Structures are given as structure tokens and as C-alpha cells.
Amino acid sequence: MTSQTPLEAVIRAEIAERGPMGLDRYMALCLAHPQHGYYRKQDPLGMSGDFVTAPEISQIFGELIGLWVAQCWIDQGRPAPFALVETGPGRGTLMADALRATRAVPGFHDGMQLNLVETSPVLRGRQKETLRDYDVTWRDRFDETPDLPLLLVANEFFDALPIRQFERAGDGWRERLVAIVDEKLDLQSGPLRPEPHLSIRGDDLPEGGLIETSEISETIAAEIGEQLRARGGAALIIDYGYDATMRSRAGGVDTIQAMRDHNFVNPFDDPGEADLTAHVDFDALASAANVRKHGIVDQGAFLLGLGAAQRAEALAKTHPDQAHDVKGALHRLTDASEMGTLFKAMALTADPAPPPAAFPA
Ligand code: SAH
């Protein structure tokens, strides 16, 4: 028997007691177990961590998002007070860049109540440091944020939320469950069930085709939509993912992936030691939110539409020694061979808000 992580022992014991578990339970344990969960133990970001995100690549990302948010706020008549909320803020880098870029927007900082939704104590610590000049309130959940006009940013947040997988089997579905297979943790098909809630999304899938759902993501999206309808504002969601047309074109794909030390690894090896993510179903989020959806657009087009190239040029001029790095970072964020088309942006607003910047009207 190979050596087990402490979390693997917990998972095996639960399977022994209750039978195979849904992927959502498995992901929740891997990412958020109070002692052994991946996000509870460490700061996974940056070169020394397991993966690098857009705000860590260049300040341009957070700055442009800050200006996008401020423009939405101005277009909606500068409501004050308002809640500026980021879910899953990582090291706080995006927010720090956004706040620096919006300092000159009259009334914006005075009117904002800054709320960060973060479950990781380690990352809360990092955010506290990065944002030490600001008045921040931390929340465990989105529904604890104040009931105010909402400007929300979520970058690589929804991909970290647990999903379930179902495969088409005749008129019904089999859930893919985590079980012990040949002594190891692996996926196994569960019993045949009707699962009527899947039919809206899964009817055109071929036999054996796969569908992924994320109940927690849809619950949060519904809460965001409710607040937008009641109080106004806008939400910006950026992640890797797909919409309904891409979903059916792909015939249903398994998008779960594990990353450790900048490499893909088996999601069932060493639970709790790798970052587990799944692609985001943007249309499922939009339907749950039940407000107006803008996009999805490619991250590259979104950033260039907000002036990323001009900002990069200006930065390179002020810091000639960093010109090469700035150019490289712009390429990484916007080029199709890098993050430019893999990542998508979607905005949500409720009527009568005008369409947000950099999304086709
Ligand atoms: N947005 C940041 C970090 C992305 S990593 C960036 O782009 O760099 C995912 C973030 O979501 C981390 O901050 C993680 O701690 C947080 N997170 C994961 N699950 C969460 C949950 N259920 N509730 C709140 N935050 C969560």
C-alpha cells in the first residue's frame, strides 16, 4: 500500500461507511476540509505555488477591471453607499490594482463598502497585507454581504466550486461517483436514475455523454441575481468555461482537472495536495441569476476592448527597464495561444442598467 495523505484516509473512511461519494463531496473535502483542505492550508498562487492567475501576471488586469467597475457605477448614477464585492480574491492583488486605478474617480472610494468573500484563512492573511490601506470586511459567504447596490468581481472563483458529473444512459442518468477501484480512489458509474433536473441541459447529449452541474455555483449566482434585481449594479465573472452552444458541441466533456506545481496531475492522487477545478458553465450561472447576461466574450477581446494595449504601452514608457516584461504579460493575458480565448468574461446586470463597457450591446 502506498502512503496516503491524511485526507485520503478521511475520504476512504467516509466511502467505507456511506458508499461512493459524489464528485461535489470529494471536491469539497479536497478543497475545503477544515484541517486538510487545499485552500485551508496554503497560499497556492504564484510561481512558488501551484498555479498563476491573471492578476498575478500583470497589474493591467486589475486596473482595467477596476475601471470597468467604476464605469458601471457611473453609468448607473453613482449609487452610494454601494457594495464592492470580490469573491475568491486570492492574494488581494486584483482588488489592490483596481482600487489604485479608481482613486481618481470622484466619490467611488467614499461610497464603497469593500467586502471580500473568502474562506481560506491563509489567503485572508495575504489579503489583509495587500489591502492594509483599506477598510475591508471579510465574509464567509456571498449572502452575508450588505444589501446594497452591488458591484461584484469574481475571477477564477467559480472554477473552484464543487461540481457533479452525470452520464447519459438511455432515458436516465448515472452519476459518476468517487469510489475505491482496485484499491485506489477513482470514478465509478452510480445507479441509473431519472434526474429530471438535468433534462433542460442534457437532452441533446448522446449515450454516454457527460454533463457537469454545480449546485453551489448556481445558488451563489441566484443570490447575486437577486441582489442585482433588488438594488442594481453589475457582476463581472471571468473564468475558463463554456456556454450552452459550446457545451452541446463538445458532446459533454469531463473538465475536472488537478494542478500541482504548475503541472496537471490525476485528481484522485494525493487528495488535498493539488488544486482541483472544473470549467464554468456560464449559461447555467446566467439562468440561475435570472438577470441580463452580457457575453460571454474572450478575455483577450475584453481586455483589449478596455485598452490593455494602450495601458501596456504607457507602462513600458514609464518603466523602460520593464518594457519587455510588460509586453510578455500583455501577450499572456490576451493572446489566443495563452489565456486570451481559454478564459471568458461574462457580465450580469438587471434592467434598467445600461450595457457595461467592452461587451457587445
Ligand atoms: N481571484 C484570485 C484567486 C483565484 S483562486 C485570482 O485570480 O488570483 C480561488 C479563490 O477562491 C481563492 O481565494 C480561494 O481561497 C477562494 N475560494 C475557494 N472556494 C471558496 C468558497 N467556497 N468561498 C469563498 N472563497 C472560496
Side-chain angles (χ1 to χ4, degrees):
M1 189 136 163
T2 50
S3 71
Q4 270 178 24
T5 63
L7 190 60
E8 180 160 356
V10 172
I11 291 167
R12 280 176 179 264
E14 188 169 315
I15 292 173
E17 196 185 316
R18 297 188 212 161
M21 62 173 71
L23 260 174
D24 54 343
R25 175 75 183 150
Y26 179 74
M27 278 182 87
L29 287 170
C30 288
L31 296 175
H33 183 279
Q35 284 93 45
H36 312 303
Y38 178 76
Y39 278 108
R40 299 295 166 113
K41 292 185 298 197
Q42 67 228 313
D43 171 1
L45 289 148
M47 279 319 292
S48 57
D50 290 312
F51 59 96
V52 178
T53 56
E56 303 300 326
I57 292 172
S58 168
Q59 68 190 78
I60 295 174
F61 189 77
E63 289 171 350
L64 293 176
I65 286 176
L67 296 173
W68 182 92
V69 166
Q71 188 64 54
C72 287
W73 177 75
I74 292 168
D75 288 346
Q76 294 190 25
R78 304 172 192 259
F82 70 96
L84 179 59
V85 178
E86 185 176 358
T87 49
R91 291 178 167 175
T93 310
L94 188 165
M95 189 51 78
D97 292 334
L99 292 174
R100 195 181 55 252
T102 51
R103 240 180 344 210
V105 178
F108 188 75
H109 282 209
D110 292 338
M112 86 188 171
Q113 291 189 10
L114 188 53
N115 280 256
L116 301 181
V117 181
E118 176 61 70
T119 43
S120 157
V122 182
L123 288 173
R124 276 191 186 198
R126 289 297 300 247
Q127 293 153 20
K128 213 166 258 175
E129 242 169 75
T130 316
L131 297 166
R132 58 186 169 273
D133 297 336
Y134 299 94
D135 187 6
V136 181
T137 307
W138 277 270
R139 313 278 182 184
D140 289 326
R141 302 155 51 110
F142 172 77
D143 64 3
E144 294 166 2
T145 62
D147 224 357
L148 293 171
L150 170 69
L151 287 149
L152 175 129
V153 178
N155 184 61
E156 288 206 49
F157 166 68
F158 283 100
D159 68 42
L161 299 181
I163 60 152
R164 295 167 79 184
Q165 291 183 337
F166 298 87
E167 53 195 23
R168 165 132 243 155
D171 290 337
W173 298 88
R174 288 182 193 280
E175 182 164 4
R176 303 225 293 171
L177 301 171
V178 181
I180 316 276
V181 183
D182 295 337
E183 306 279 306
K184 291 207 294 244
L185 292 177
D186 206 349
L187 284 171
Q188 195 177 63
S189 294
L192 187 65
R193 293 224 174 91
E195 309 284 3
H197 65 286
L198 294 179
S199 62
I200 322 159
R201 278 175 229 168
D203 266 357
D204 51 354
L205 275 190
E207 182 73 15
L210 206 76
I211 198 166
E212 295 182 339
T213 63
S214 176
E215 199 178 319
I216 172 80
S217 298
E218 290 182 35
T219 302
I220 296 170
E223 289 162 2
I224 293 169
E226 200 182 313
Q227 196 166 336
L228 291 175
R229 279 194 305 276
R231 308 281 170 167
L236 178 65
I237 298 169
I238 302 180
D239 227 308
Y240 38 35
Y242 49 88
D243 63 8
T245 43
M246 295 153 81
R247 178 171 58 208
S248 56
R249 207 182 315 139
V253 263
D254 173 5
T255 74
I256 198 151
Q257 62 187 40
M259 265 226 159
R260 189 171 179 182
D261 202 9
H262 306 271
N263 290 308
F264 291 111
V265 294
N266 182 330
F268 305 104
D269 285 348
D270 302 330
E273 301 303 312
D275 184 38
L276 282 187
T277 59
H279 286 209
V280 170
D281 184 340
F282 283 99
D283 275 331
L285 296 183
S287 319
N290 194 20
V291 288
R292 185 171 295 200
K293 166 195 165 200
H294 310 271
I296 53 181
V297 297
D298 292 340
Q299 172 173 297
F302 176 69
L303 294 176
L304 292 170
L306 289 173
Q310 292 81 345
R311 181 68 187 125
E313 213 169 286
L315 273 176
K317 254 195 205 130
T318 2
H319 307 281
D321 53 315
Q322 290 164 27
H324 180 76
D325 291 350
V326 170
K327 206 172 152 209
L330 178 70
H331 184 263
R332 250 183 108 181
L333 291 175
T334 60
D335 199 80
S337 65
E338 301 268 356
M339 300 176 82
T341 53
L342 175 63
F343 282 76
K344 314 281 182 194
M346 175 174 81
L348 299 172
T349 58
D351 290 332
F359 285 94

